[in-house]
């Protein structure tokens, strides 16, 4: 077995400690575009705690993706310029509190070596727990390192993604992003210059900085919240999406959604460029 494969597969980091409060919760919600209409009470519940009529602040389910930002199984020594998000799958064990001290246990689940000049896909898991040791959320991330691979890992096949229904969408919605949205979202933790530095973005092969894939992921959660979840964050059991193409800040994301019982399938595109940006999306409500 390849030493490089064994090195990556063996990465593990347990008991990482983090804390967050309402400021981080509201910043994330604003970072994915909630509150764009300052009179929309449904969205204000995620970005404003209320004053004259007090109300509990709601936490967007996918805030779990930044609640322990920086946690991970360890240093992978990858070509950072060529690394992009491949897929994200979050299982929600219970609603996230507005403020918490949490721990994160991270480990690499599998490594898919696609071959020389084809890159490598690394799948790793992070389990978030509260102070009682109870699971809050399990995050499974797929990282595509385009500049690595070809080190002789086992010939493994990745699992098939969620299948989108063949019928016409049950709902279609448009969600507009702001030209400065990546500059806001990066304050949630992801300071990758690919999303803020024009020179860095060009070196990575893009004409200008792109929106974080995880911001687009949050936008799809927002889309399900406003359509089939009635803005009830506690209804989310799972949210899965594959990243197929970047969004540029300022573009409009069009979501197609299909409802089959408690399962919401979705895909997202940018019509102005004729590209699909999210594929094989699935939300399980309960």
């Amino acid at each position: 077995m390849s030493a490089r494969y064994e090195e990556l597969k063996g990465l593990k980091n347990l008991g990482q400690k983090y804390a967050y409060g309402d400021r981080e919760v509201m910043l994330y919600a604003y970072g994915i575009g909630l509150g764009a209409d300052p009179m929309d009470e449904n969205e204000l519940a995620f970005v404003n705690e209320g004053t004259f009529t007090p109300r509990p602040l709601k936490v967007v389910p996918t805030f779990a993706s930044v609640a322990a930002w920086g946690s991970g199984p360890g240093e992978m020594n990858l070509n950072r310029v060529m690394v992009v998000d491949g897929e994200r799958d979050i299982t929600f064990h219970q609603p996230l509190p507005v403020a918490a001290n949490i721990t994160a246990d991270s480990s690499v689940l599998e490594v898919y070596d696609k071959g020389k000049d084809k890159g490598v896909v690394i799948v790793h898991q992070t389990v978030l727990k509260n102070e009682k040791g109870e699971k809050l959320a399990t995050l499974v991330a797929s990282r595509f390192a385009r500049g690595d691979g070809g080190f002789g890992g086992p010939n493994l096949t990745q699992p098939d993604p969620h299948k989108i229904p063949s019928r016409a969408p049950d709902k279609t919605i448009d969600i507009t992003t702001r030209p400065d949205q990546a500059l806001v979202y990066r304050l949630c933790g992801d300071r990758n210059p690919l999303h803020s530095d024009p020179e860095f973005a060009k070196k990575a092969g893009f004409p200008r900085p792109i929106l974080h894939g995880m911001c687009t992921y949050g936008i799809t959660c927002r889309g399900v919240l406003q359509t089939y979840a009635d803005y009830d964050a506690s209804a989310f059991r799972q949210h899965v999406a594959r990243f197929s193409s970047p969004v540029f800040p300022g573009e409009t994301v069009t979501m197609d959604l299909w409802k089959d019982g408690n399962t919401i399938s979705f895909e997202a595109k940018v019509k102005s460029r004729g590209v699909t940006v999210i594929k094989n999306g699935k939300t399980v409500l309960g």
Side-chain angles (χ1 to χ4, degrees), residues 19-281:
Y20 68 84
D22 62 354
R23 180 181 183 278
E24 288 76 23
V25 166
M26 289 186 283
L27 178 60
Y28 176 80
Y30 181 65
I32 64 170
L34 287 166
D37 178 354
M39 297 300 290
D40 186 329
E41 291 289 340
N42 287 318
E43 295 197 357
L44 278 176
F46 293 90
V47 295
N48 175 25
E49 64 275 19
T51 303
F52 284 107
T53 303
R55 63 164 179 265
L57 184 68
K58 292 184 178 182
V59 183
V60 179
T62 50
F63 171 73
S65 64
V66 299
W69 177 257
S71 62
E75 178 54 56
M76 297 183 184
N77 296 309
L78 303 171
N79 181 350
R80 186 184 178 196
V81 176
M82 301 295 286
V83 175
V84 295
D85 263 322
E87 183 174 351
R88 196 64 95 254
D89 178 348
I90 301 181
T91 297
F92 308 98
H93 304 293
Q94 57 180 290
L96 293 172
V98 174
N101 293 306
I102 60 176
T103 59
D105 295 338
S106 302
S107 59
V108 171
L109 296 179
E110 195 50 87
V111 179
Y112 300 93
D113 184 1
K114 294 182 172 293
K116 186 175 175 58
D117 300 325
K118 294 182 180 179
V120 60
V121 176
I122 303 166
V123 181
H124 57 92
Q125 172 183 280
T126 296
V127 180
L128 304 183
K129 299 177 182 178
N130 62 19
E131 289 184 288
K132 296 179 180 179
E134 299 168 334
K135 290 183 180 180
L136 293 171
T138 297
L139 294 71
V140 177
S142 171
R143 185 178 304 186
F144 181 33
R146 297 174 295 162
D148 296 87
F151 48 76
N155 185 20
L156 301 174
T157 302
Q158 292 178 254
D160 291 333
H162 172 66
K163 189 175 182 180
I164 298 297
S166 57
R167 68 179 187 274
D170 298 322
K171 285 184 184 291
T172 297
I173 60 171
D174 289 330
I175 299 177
T176 302
T177 66
R178 300 186 306 273
D180 65 343
Q181 193 146 347
L183 298 178
V184 174
Y185 184 84
R186 72 191 298 263
L187 301 180
C188 295
D190 189 348
R191 299 291 186 92
N192 186 338
L194 177 61
H195 310 293
S196 60
D197 186 330
E199 183 180 8
F200 188 97
K202 287 180 180 178
K203 288 185 180 297
F206 299 100
R208 56 193 175 97
I210 63 175
L211 192 62
H212 304 69
M214 289 306 297
C215 183
T216 306
Y217 178 78
I219 287 171
T220 61
C221 177
R222 175 186 164 196
V224 177
L225 267 173
Q226 73 183 61
T227 53
Y228 290 114
D230 194 26
Y231 289 95
D232 180 5
S234 69
F236 281 68
R237 298 292 178 265
Q238 185 184 25
H239 191 69
V240 186
R242 299 186 106 195
F243 307 106
S244 55
S245 189
V247 173
F248 291 100
E251 292 184 322
T252 295
V253 176
T254 299
M255 278 186 73
D256 291 330
L257 303 102
W258 296 259
K259 186 178 188 301
D260 294 286
N262 289 337
T263 299
I264 311 301
S265 303
F266 61 87
E267 290 196 334
K269 65 190 74 171
V270 173
K271 287 183 176 179
S272 61
R273 287 189 290 119
V275 297
T276 299
V277 296
I278 293 289
K279 291 182 177 180
N280 308 107

